[in-house]
Amino acid sequence: MKKTKTLIASAILAASFGAMQVYAANVPAGVQLAKNQVLVKGGEGEPQTIDPQKVSGTPGSLRDRDLFEGLYSEGKDGVLVPGVAESYTVNKDHTVYTFKLRHDAKWSDGSPVTAEDFVFGFQRLVDPKTASTYSYYAALAGIKNAQNIIDGKDKVSSLGVKALDAHTFQVTLDHSVPYFVKMTVNSSLFPAPKKVVEKWGDAWTKPEHIVSNGAYKLESWVVNQQMVFVRNHDYWNDKKTVINKVVVLPIVDAAVEYSRYMAGDLDMTSNSGIPTNRYHELLKTVPNQVKVSPALAVYYYDFNNQKPPFNDVRVRKALSYAIDRNIITKYVTGTGEIPAYSFTPPDVSGFKAKEPQYEKWTQAERNKKAQELLKAAGFDKSHPLNFTLLYNTNENHKKIAIAISAMWKKTLGVNVTLDNQEWKTFLNTRQLGNYQVARDGWFGDYNEASTFLSLLDSTSSQNNAQYKNPAYDKLMDEAAKANNPAPYYQKAEDLAIDQDMAVAPIYQYVTKRLIKPYVGGYMPNLEDNIYTRDMYIIKH
């Protein structure tokens, strides 16, 4: 979209969204449904929280997609699907978005979902009292006054959101963001039930207190065992929902998840449920159950840019260059992943990063340069570099860490101690910067380059690498205001990776899971936004 687009054209676009088919279990004619509509699926680790404004990481977000609903959702191939919003209009410079909310949207206690619930949700996201690691997302989306509020310079009430009436929600941005509606798919911009949150505080998401507005509601939660969701009959599109109960198991070990799937305990694995050593075997034995598709995501290692010796770019480059990404993707992950040298994935809409300089070298050339750089930084075999590599408990992460630490040892004489932590502890350790080198990964929140590049902005609460470069921040600010941000994105890529090596990109993910043949309605997309409400169990 361009700034010259008229309000009338935007209104036509909005109307087309309002007329779109609303995705929900679209059962083909002739398909016989099973009497028992229960889906048991893998949920990766135990979520740190299911509070939409506080969720950080896949375990929480994949559960929240069933429990809550925002203005828009995402369907097959990334198509935007109306959620609580039936339609929207936008002014000609894409700074004021006005959403018409459906009148039949309700919370699970039967009360209506209103524009005030979105105002409250957006405001608590940026409220310093909430301490959300996703607060930066509101500023990234360009919502007026978001950054000032996050920094404690302005009142929460000054955020650019307004309830024009009970069913009209308006968002004002401080600069043009043509893709803003795409950003509303993320759980951080979901509505929040004010009375419930204020009554129960942090305990509002417990089964006995929680009120949600998605296709399902939380029936029970046994930590480290399972979460059970049941149909929310107050959901506006409940009539089109087929699956009655969802059981989510927090299995972090791919081998365990695979075994339980093969034993019939799971109908669908998580995105981490195919062990590398089983992939090719599964393609031969149950090819129709192996679901692999491209993902808008990158796997990478954070260097703690503020801690010696990782504040030395020579050390960061040496370690990154010495990673043989082809070996990792071919022999360690081995399920179609793509070696990554840039931070932004190649499939992102509207921008394709050019090859950084080191991608053009052979691995032998990278290794030689790595040795030279590390020696120049004061490390060699007589004075080796020693550090700890942090990762969250997961068999695949462990295999990658072992392989890369072996590469570092062989090529550079580096001694690495591996430290694995459970998900919640790991997130806290990494966020606080209490590490030297740490595993990281990012699934795009929306299909645009800034969902990745913004992570390295010094103001981002997701900047786990502690990278701080004013020149980089300036480039991202300019990109946010530009009609064509691609040149600024490229300069940002060059600066953060080619010049500074703030992080070490390792590979681009694919979405890979096992799904039983009797599970229908699975619709993959680049961002892996999967909703149980679209699915159904076929008689078998």
Side-chain angles (χ1 to χ4, degrees):
M1 300 181 188
K2 296 181 180 179
K3 285 188 176 181
T4 54
K5 189 173 183 178
T6 66
L7 180 58
I8 293 175
S10 297
I12 292 172
L13 174 65
S16 69
F17 273 119
M20 281 170 37
Q21 177 188 3
V22 177
Y23 281 27
N26 189 10
V27 183
V31 169
Q32 283 188 290
L33 294 175
K35 185 176 181 180
N36 191 27
Q37 289 292 323
V38 177
L39 179 73
V40 183
K41 63 180 182 179
E44 298 196 9
E46 183 69 24
Q48 188 180 34
T49 179
I50 55 170
D51 182 329
Q53 276 76 48
K54 293 186 177 183
V55 160
S56 179
T58 305
S61 61
L62 68 85
R63 289 162 173 81
D64 272 9
R65 282 192 288 273
D66 281 343
L67 294 171
F68 297 92
E69 182 174 69
L71 295 164
Y72 279 82
S73 299
E74 191 174 27
K76 187 178 181 180
D77 300 325
V79 173
L80 278 175
V81 177
V84 178
E86 289 183 316
S87 63
Y88 75 92
T89 55
V90 57
N91 67 348
K92 64 182 180 181
D93 61 357
H94 295 90
T95 58
V96 180
Y97 287 81
T98 305
F99 298 89
K100 295 302 294 183
L101 308 186
R102 59 181 75 252
H103 287 246
D104 53 352
K106 294 180 181 179
W107 292 101
S108 54
D109 63 359
S111 61
V113 178
T114 68
E116 287 291 353
D117 295 320
F118 280 95
V119 169
F120 179 65
F122 280 47
Q123 286 180 342
R124 74 185 291 261
L125 174 65
V126 298
D127 190 338
K129 293 178 182 177
T130 306
S132 172
T133 58
Y134 249 82
S135 60
Y136 82 97
Y137 192 74
L140 177 63
I143 301 176
K144 189 176 179 180
N145 285 338
Q147 193 60 55
N148 284 338
I149 297 167
I150 294 166
D151 294 340
K153 297 177 182 177
D154 220 331
K155 295 179 180 179
V156 173
S157 59
S158 69
L159 188 68
V161 293
K162 186 186 300 182
L164 300 185
D165 58 47
H167 298 98
T168 310
F169 175 60
Q170 189 172 84
V171 183
T172 301
L173 312 181
D174 59 22
H175 60 268
S176 176
V177 181
Y179 50 85
F180 175 74
V181 179
K182 289 184 181 181
M183 299 185 74
T184 67
V185 173
N186 187 266
S187 64
S188 63
L189 297 184
F190 285 178
K194 185 175 182 179
K195 289 181 180 179
V196 179
V197 174
E198 291 183 341
K199 181 176 180 179
W200 299 107
D202 288 341
W204 82 273
T205 54
K206 289 186 176 181
E208 61 268 31
H209 304 317
I210 191 170
V211 174
S212 59
N213 74 317
Y216 297 89
K217 56 186 179 180
L218 179 60
E219 181 180 72
S220 63
W221 183 355
V222 182
V223 175
N224 292 323
Q225 290 189 34
Q226 67 177 26
M227 294 177 75
V228 178
F229 308 153
V230 293
R231 283 266 291 276
N232 173 15
H233 292 300
D234 285 307
Y235 178 58
W236 66 270
N237 204 26
D238 179 60
K239 289 181 179 179
K240 281 200 149 187
T241 306
V242 174
I243 289 177
N244 294 317
K245 180 183 285 188
V246 189
V247 181
V248 189
L249 306 181
I251 307 172
V252 297
D253 190 316
V256 173
E257 189 172 10
Y258 161 80
S259 296
R260 295 196 64 176
Y261 176 87
M262 298 304 289
D265 297 337
L266 286 169
D267 303 309
M268 173 179 175
T269 70
S270 71
N271 191 23
S272 304
I274 302 181
T276 303
N277 62 346
R278 298 287 188 179
Y279 178 66
H280 294 288
E281 169 195 335
L282 290 166
L283 288 178
K284 294 177 182 178
T285 57
V286 288
N288 63 325
Q289 297 180 43
V290 179
K291 308 296 180 182
V292 178
S293 57
L296 195 66
V298 61
Y299 189 104
Y300 59 102
Y301 276 177
D302 290 314
F303 301 120
N304 193 326
N305 283 241
Q306 301 304 310
K307 280 189 177 180
F310 304 100
N311 58 348
D312 187 331
V313 66
R314 295 171 297 185
V315 172
R316 300 194 299 268
K317 283 187 172 182
L319 293 173
S320 181
Y321 291 169
I323 299 171
D324 191 329
R325 291 153 173 86
N326 288 311
I327 287 179
I328 297 298
T329 55
K330 187 174 182 179
Y331 300 108
V332 183
T333 59
T335 52
E337 291 81 4
I338 304 167
Y341 300 89
S342 60
F343 193 52
T344 309
D347 294 316
V348 73
S349 177
F351 169 67
K352 185 173 180 61
K354 68 178 179 63
E355 292 181 348
Q357 185 180 12
Y358 75 107
E359 182 178 355
K360 301 171 185 176
W361 304 341
T362 64
Q363 189 57 46
E365 290 172 329
R366 292 187 202 112
N367 289 346
K368 183 180 178 182
K369 186 65 175 177
Q371 291 164 354
E372 293 171 355
L373 286 167
L374 200 61
K375 186 174 182 179
F379 299 98
D380 54 30
K381 291 184 178 180
S382 61
H383 181 224
L385 173 62
N386 303 294
F387 63 88
T388 298
L389 171 60
L390 174 70
Y391 65 95
N392 57 295
T393 304
N394 176 284
E395 193 60 31
N396 286 336
H397 298 330
K398 180 180 179 180
K399 288 178 180 178
I400 293 168
I402 290 172
I404 291 178
S405 59
M407 292 173 186
W408 285 337
K409 178 68 174 177
K410 180 180 178 181
T411 303
L412 303 172
V414 170
N415 298 315
V416 181
T417 301
L418 301 183
D419 179 20
N420 71 292
Q421 296 180 354
E422 295 305 313
W423 179 244
K424 293 181 183 179
T425 305
F426 166 79
L427 282 180
N428 189 56
T429 302
R430 190 180 63 183
Q431 186 187 348
L432 292 174
N434 295 332
Y435 74 91
Q436 293 175 292
V437 179
R439 184 205 80 82
D440 213 331
W442 191 257
F443 277 76
D445 291 317
Y446 52 95
N447 196 349
E448 210 268 347
S450 60
T451 192
F452 293 93
L453 294 173
S454 65
L455 300 179
L456 299 177
D457 192 293
S458 63
T459 63
S460 172
S461 51
Q462 298 286 349
N463 185 352
N464 299 315
Q466 312 287 318
Y467 176 61
K468 301 182 189 303
N469 188 327
Y472 185 89
D473 294 349
K474 184 178 180 182
L475 285 169
M476 293 306 294
D477 286 342
E478 291 172 338
K481 299 170 185 175
N483 283 333
N484 177 20
Y488 297 102
Y489 290 154
Q490 185 59 63
K491 290 177 182 178
E493 271 279 356
D494 291 344
L495 182 56
I497 304 302
D498 227 2
Q499 295 181 44
D500 290 347
M501 198 63 75
V503 299
I506 299 173
Y507 64 81
Q508 308 297 339
Y509 281 92
V510 290
T511 296
K512 54 183 185 294
R513 50 174 54 94
L514 290 165
I515 303 179
K516 296 293 186 182
Y518 53 77
V519 177
Y522 174 68
M523 295 187 290
N525 51 57
L526 282 173
E527 294 167 68
D528 200 33
N529 285 325
I530 307 300
Y531 307 88
T532 305
R533 65 174 186 252
D534 296 331
M535 304 170 77
Y536 50 91
I537 307 296
I538 302 168
K539 186 176 180 180
H540 60 283

